[in-house]
Amino acid sequence: MLHFDAVESTNETAKELLESDVEEGLVVWADRQAAGRGRHGRAWASPLGGLYASFILRPKEAHAWLLGLLIGMPVVKALRHFGVFAGLKYPNDAVYQDRKIAGILSEGVYRHDVYHVVVGIGVNTNVDLDKLPAEVQPKATTLKREVNLFVANEEFLDYLLNQVDDLYSRYRNTRIEFLLKDYRGQCTTIGKRVSAMIGKDRVIGKAYDIATNGALVIADDQGAKHEFFEGTLEILK
Ligand code: BTN
């Protein structure tokens, strides 16, 4: 594990390190990020106190997106272990009472013809909510805000990485369908009424299943099924 006071983005540092001969499992951890990145090109506010880490995996298949989906499970498990009963909003947001507490950005990268996945995890552990951008504050929460006990980032990361390790061993040794079944059981979006943008179309209906490719299956009010992967997904009340 490499620990930095500050980097631009732990995902970027991990990718730069791929130029040298780094081993699978290398973790880049920083106390803050100057240019933290979220999914869909969004910024990820990364003030001191939060947990920002990326690690390098070298799966046999180009499964960057699927691994990013599955790693939502260990993230939620770690949050629950430390006292926040978070849910897993499709695809991989850890959410507590409709407020986001952790996010995952996984990226597939070829270096010297070898496929790597850089998985970046950001957890609002010991962040004061008012250190996050004003527009994020109403939709975010932090471990510090929800739990009375102080949890050191090191301790959280240690537990989280053990859980990721378990998941990754299962990923290498089990059929992906089994892992997706587990994911389905943990994804709190299943069974909810949702509104999703699929291409240019808005689909409103019930989140119904996880397909074998990891897509969220939404059954609209006419009973037609639609697969959703990425984009805007809103949970309706
Ligand atoms: C999201 O929900 O949009 C994903 C957020 C991912 C943030 C983490 S923090 C560590 C790693 N480095 C980054 O720049 N992003 C990820």
Side-chain angles (χ1 to χ4, degrees):
M1 182 180 320
L2 299 175
H3 184 202
F4 297 90
D5 294 339
V7 294
E8 293 283 297
S9 152
T10 53
N11 268 39
E12 292 312 313
T13 306
K15 282 196 238 167
E16 283 159 21
L17 288 164
L18 288 179
E19 293 302 338
S20 47
D21 240 353
V22 290
E23 280 182 33
E24 179 175 44
L26 179 85
V27 180
V28 177
W29 168 30
D31 294 337
R32 59 190 172 84
Q33 300 183 115
R37 294 192 294 111
R39 292 190 294 122
H40 311 302
R42 289 192 280 253
W44 182 262
S46 309
L48 216 55
L51 175 60
Y52 316 105
S54 302
F55 46 86
I56 293 169
L57 302 177
R58 218 171 277 150
K60 284 208 188 81
E61 290 180 65
H63 275 168
W65 187 85
L66 264 178
L67 277 165
L69 181 80
L70 296 173
I71 284 168
M73 292 194 279
V75 171
V76 164
K77 199 160 180 192
L79 284 163
R80 291 184 179 192
H81 177 79
F82 289 104
V84 180
F85 203 73
L88 189 47
K89 182 188 169 208
Y90 186 87
N92 55 13
D93 287 348
V95 172
Y96 180 67
Q97 293 182 337
D98 293 332
R99 287 167 173 260
K100 183 158 164 173
I101 187 163
I104 299 168
L105 175 68
S106 68
E107 300 177 280
V109 199
Y110 278 97
R111 282 288 184 279
H112 312 296
D113 288 339
V114 180
Y115 185 75
H116 297 81
V117 178
V118 174
V119 182
I121 302 178
V123 189
N124 297 335
T125 45
N126 302 300
V127 180
D128 289 317
L129 206 57
D130 61 12
K131 293 278 177 333
L132 298 177
E135 67 280 10
V136 170
Q137 287 178 27
K139 299 177 281 178
T141 193
T142 74
L143 189 78
K144 182 177 173 177
R145 184 172 179 262
E146 305 298 345
V147 178
N148 277 330
L149 217 66
F150 173 77
V151 180
N153 280 340
E154 198 164 4
E155 198 187 339
F156 192 97
L157 184 58
D158 186 54
Y159 185 88
L160 173 61
L161 291 175
N162 275 315
Q163 297 306 318
V164 169
D165 217 37
D166 284 357
L167 185 273
Y168 194 54
S169 311
R170 290 187 60 217
Y171 163 80
R172 278 185 301 193
N173 299 311
T174 322
R175 282 176 43 199
I176 200 105
E177 289 87 335
F178 295 139
L179 292 171
L180 286 168
K181 261 214 174 89
D182 283 357
Y183 175 89
R184 185 192 186 285
Q186 292 185 32
C187 177
T188 43
T189 306
I190 299 290
K192 301 233 170 91
R193 200 166 162 75
V194 297
S195 164
M197 286 307 292
I198 301 180
K200 288 196 183 96
D201 301 324
R202 178 172 298 282
V203 173
I204 296 182
K206 189 173 171 181
Y208 167 84
D209 203 3
I210 302 294
T212 49
N213 57 7
L216 180 71
V217 184
I218 302 171
D220 70 20
D221 296 338
Q222 283 69 46
K225 290 180 184 147
H226 307 262
E227 289 195 351
F228 171 86
F229 284 98
E230 279 287 341
T232 316
L233 178 75
E234 207 188 321
I235 312 283
L236 303 174
K237 296 289 164 203

